[in-house]
Amino acid sequence: MAAETSHAWADDIYQALKKAKVAQVAFVPDAGHKQLINACHADNTMTAVSLTTEEEGVAMLAGAWLGGQRGALLMQSSGAGNCINMLSIIRECRFPLLMLVTMRGEWGEFNPWQLPMGQGTPQALESAGVVVQRVDRPEDVGETVFAGALMAFGSNRPVAILLGQRLVGFKDWSK
Amino acid sequence: MSDHKEQALDRRKVMAKILGQRGDTLIVTGLGSTTYDAGTADHPNTFYLWGGMGAAAMMGLGLALAQPMRRVLVLTGDGEMLMGLGALATIGAQAPGNIAIGVIDNEHYSETGMQPTHTHRGVDLAGIARSCSFKVSETVRTEAELDKQLPVLLKAAGSVFLDIKVSTQRYPMSSRLRDGAHIKNRFRENLLGQAAFD
């Protein structure tokens, strides 16, 4: 499956975010999130913010919640470690946080440098108090994201949905 | 700054002046002395960070985007700002019209033994903010400059950045209010009313 292909599941995520009333979408770009990022940019009820590093998004979405808006943070697994200390704000203050993490360093990975953070992502996030859920089948993506949003915003907890590399695709990553 | 020590601004007097004119401004304060300074005039519209060093400016951005009709002011220290410098690029690129950042810059990490920060060694935060497309970015060193820039900090449209140079005078913690969930819930209830609990 090529990363440049249009994915029905990417639109399912967008629809789930709409249904969950997500108004701010913060992201460090990832090829796996390309289609979703474009959809969020095109939606005038959402503000899509490009970050320099993933931890900025944790702080930004805490601010969004302070101001009464819901947010989602998009990243690839290599950015999960960048978030760890900022997640202490989420935990101490009981802020909700919805993270959508496209996985690298697993299914068919060609770049060995991706393995340390990719393989460590679930444990790293769990160590910071994040509820980690994983999805590998395209037909499960939409409802997993929506259910994760319900948990995050209903319970004031951080929830990360890991989008498996098998789902995202591994061809042409070097382009 | 070291050449004019006797004239340097006092951080608590600067804070008292800003908070005295805050009106309905929503304020986020950064970990360390700035949070302690702001605690001298506590208000539910202030969110105090006691952790997450480097978070203050980005929390301000999320809040400013969520509340476009309200003024959002981030008050933080030079060390805290330096830890999250990328935020200046992100905010500059996003260009919200209702955010201001005031750095209370004593050029040192005062909580950890007064080690000099990079601002003591020539790094110009206002220059960085200007390069990051902030509409207004100035360094303030005197009472007269502070009085001139205060209305800009609290009211001027566009992203505003002030680097306010202060002395290294230290003060005790002013506030014991440090339960994060309480500070967050109090802020939201005051701002959003019953919608805070939806």
Side-chain angles (χ1 to χ4, degrees):
Chain A
M1 192 186 300
E4 298 300 317
T5 311
S6 174
H7 295 299
W9 58 261
D11 190 55
D12 293 344
I13 295 177
Y14 170 68
Q15 295 301 337
L17 296 183
K18 293 286 285 178
K19 200 170 145 193
K21 299 187 171 65
V22 166
Q24 295 190 30
V25 177
F27 64 90
V28 173
D30 175 61
H33 279 314
K34 180 180 174 184
Q35 192 178 327
L36 176 61
I37 290 166
N38 288 341
C40 294
H41 269 305
D43 186 332
N44 61 16
T45 71
M46 288 182 173
T47 306
V49 176
S50 178
L51 310 167
T52 72
T53 172
E54 292 81 359
E55 64 195 280
E56 289 178 6
V58 178
M60 182 187 127
L61 297 183
W65 184 253
L66 269 188
Q69 285 195 338
R70 296 175 171 199
L73 174 57
L74 318 183
M75 69 179 77
Q76 74 169 230
S77 52
S78 51
N82 294 348
C83 298
I84 298 302
N85 188 48
M86 287 302 174
L87 289 168
S88 65
I89 298 171
I90 303 299
R91 196 174 195 176
E92 163 58 19
C93 303
R94 272 189 282 114
F95 278 109
L97 179 66
L98 179 63
M99 305 165 76
L100 304 179
V101 183
T102 46
M103 294 303 294
R104 294 289 309 269
E106 46 175 48
W107 180 269
E109 179 62 61
F110 79 95
N111 182 350
W113 298 57
Q114 285 284 353
L115 264 72
M117 193 66 246
Q119 290 293 321
T121 287
Q123 298 93 320
L125 292 175
E126 282 167 358
S127 77
V130 178
V131 177
V132 176
Q133 300 185 328
R134 186 182 169 92
V135 59
D136 286 292
R137 300 196 319 164
E139 60 270 31
D140 294 338
V141 171
E143 66 178 7
T144 305
V145 170
F146 184 66
L150 286 181
M151 189 194 291
F153 300 115
S155 328
N156 290 330
R157 291 294 189 281
V159 175
I161 311 294
L162 309 186
L163 301 158
Q165 192 165 357
R166 186 174 190 179
L167 176 76
V168 175
F170 60 83
K171 289 181 187 169
D172 298 332
W173 282 111
S174 56
K175 280 186 182 172
Chain B
M1 191 182 82
S2 52
D3 296 341
H4 305 286
K5 259 195 178 119
E6 70 285 358
Q7 297 167 341
L9 290 166
D10 177 88
R11 59 182 313 124
R12 288 265 158 114
K13 287 180 185 162
V14 168
M15 183 61 79
K17 203 164 227 181
I18 295 170
L19 296 181
Q21 297 182 35
R22 67 182 291 167
D24 70 349
T25 302
L26 304 174
I27 294 180
V28 175
T29 67
L31 172 65
S33 300
T34 320
T35 279
Y36 311 150
D37 295 339
T40 56
D42 183 34
H43 194 289
N45 281 347
T46 303
F47 182 86
Y48 305 97
L49 278 158
W50 284 76
M53 189 164 172
M58 286 304 298
M59 276 196 86
L61 176 61
L63 179 57
L65 293 173
Q67 292 285 331
M69 305 308 288
R70 296 287 289 268
R71 184 65 159 189
V72 172
L73 174 60
V74 175
L75 294 170
T76 191
D78 44 308
E80 209 272 352
M81 190 71 250
L82 286 164
M83 192 172 280
L85 271 187
L88 294 178
T90 298
I91 294 167
Q94 198 65 28
N98 62 328
I99 193 169
I101 299 174
V103 175
I104 310 296
D105 181 2
N106 70 355
E107 304 188 347
H108 290 78
Y109 295 102
S110 52
E111 296 305 306
T112 56
M114 213 52 91
Q115 299 87 351
T117 64
H118 294 346
T119 64
H120 192 67
R121 293 164 167 156
V123 171
D124 171 15
L125 287 174
I128 294 168
R130 201 173 301 121
S131 298
C132 288
S133 299
F134 275 65
K135 295 263 179 354
V136 176
S137 188
E138 301 290 344
T139 301
V140 165
R141 296 175 189 276
T142 66
E143 195 80 28
E145 288 170 354
L146 181 64
D147 290 342
K148 185 180 164 207
Q149 294 297 340
L150 211 49
V152 176
L153 189 70
L154 292 168
K155 293 199 170 66
S159 308
V160 172
F161 186 94
L162 286 190
D163 184 24
I164 305 167
K165 296 286 189 182
V166 297
S167 75
T168 52
Q169 174 67 47
R170 288 196 71 199
Y171 290 96
M173 289 184 196
S174 61
S175 169
R176 309 306 293 171
L177 181 63
R178 63 188 185 282
D179 182 294
H182 172 73
I183 297 166
K184 175 206 69 174
N185 289 335
R186 185 181 75 152
F187 186 104
R188 275 173 51 87
E189 190 174 359
N190 191 60
L191 177 64
L192 305 168
Q194 276 304 305
F197 306 106
D198 282 353

